[in-house]
Amino acid sequence: MLVRDAMSTVVLTIGPAHTLRQAARLMSARRVGAAVVLDPDTSGLGILTERDILNSLGAGQDPDREIAGTHTTTDVVFAAPAWTLEEAAEAMTHGGFRHLIVLDAHGPVGIVSVRDIIRCWTPAARRRATAAALSG
């Protein structure tokens, strides 16, 4: 299976000036574990994850004063939709993270998480993929 088959196409994008509370509310409402942070000043992409917010709260920081840009990972590893799930899992394992922003030539098209990969690797998912391949 490929990343495009597993990724979530719900890509929450926020700006670096969003507070952590705002980011957490948006992530919760969309039921996602990460947000893509678009910085218009640098034209850069970063990622803010649940863990980043949790680490800030654990350090006693105020989620209404802390902004996403301060907690964003900007040294991001990106995946391509045509990567295999094995390639994505290897990148995650090597980098020690649980989400990959998926990019095509036009920008972010999805996010793939460890949970997405595991969901695809369950026996039921493998049976569905095999049946689909045989019938198509």
Side-chain angles (χ1 to χ4, degrees):
M1 289 188 94
L2 303 178
V3 165
R4 76 169 54 95
D5 302 319
M7 70 183 190
S8 170
T9 56
V10 176
V11 180
L12 172 62
T13 58
I14 63 172
H18 278 79
T19 67
L20 292 187
R21 185 176 307 279
Q22 290 170 324
R25 281 186 180 142
L26 291 168
M27 290 164 65
S28 178
R30 289 184 176 79
R31 303 186 68 183
V32 297
V36 174
V37 181
L38 296 173
D39 189 341
D41 294 333
T42 64
S43 299
L45 285 177
I47 190 165
L48 178 75
T49 67
E50 296 165 319
R51 184 166 300 206
D52 298 322
I53 296 169
L54 183 65
N55 287 340
S56 175
L57 293 174
Q61 297 174 334
D62 182 349
D64 293 312
R65 292 182 186 262
E66 292 296 312
I67 59 170
T70 305
H71 299 277
T72 297
T73 300
T74 56
D75 185 21
V76 179
V77 175
F78 299 101
W83 276 19
T84 66
L85 294 184
E86 288 83 3
E87 289 172 307
E90 186 175 315
M92 290 177 185
T93 301
H94 180 72
F97 42 80
R98 299 179 298 168
H99 298 87
L100 286 169
I101 299 171
V102 183
L103 293 179
D104 69 6
H106 306 289
V109 293
I111 292 185
V112 66
S113 70
V114 170
R115 181 177 292 153
D116 296 327
I117 293 171
I118 291 170
R119 191 176 301 123
C120 290
W121 283 347
T122 62
R126 285 196 309 267
R127 283 192 300 273
R128 284 191 302 273
T130 300
L134 293 174
S135 67

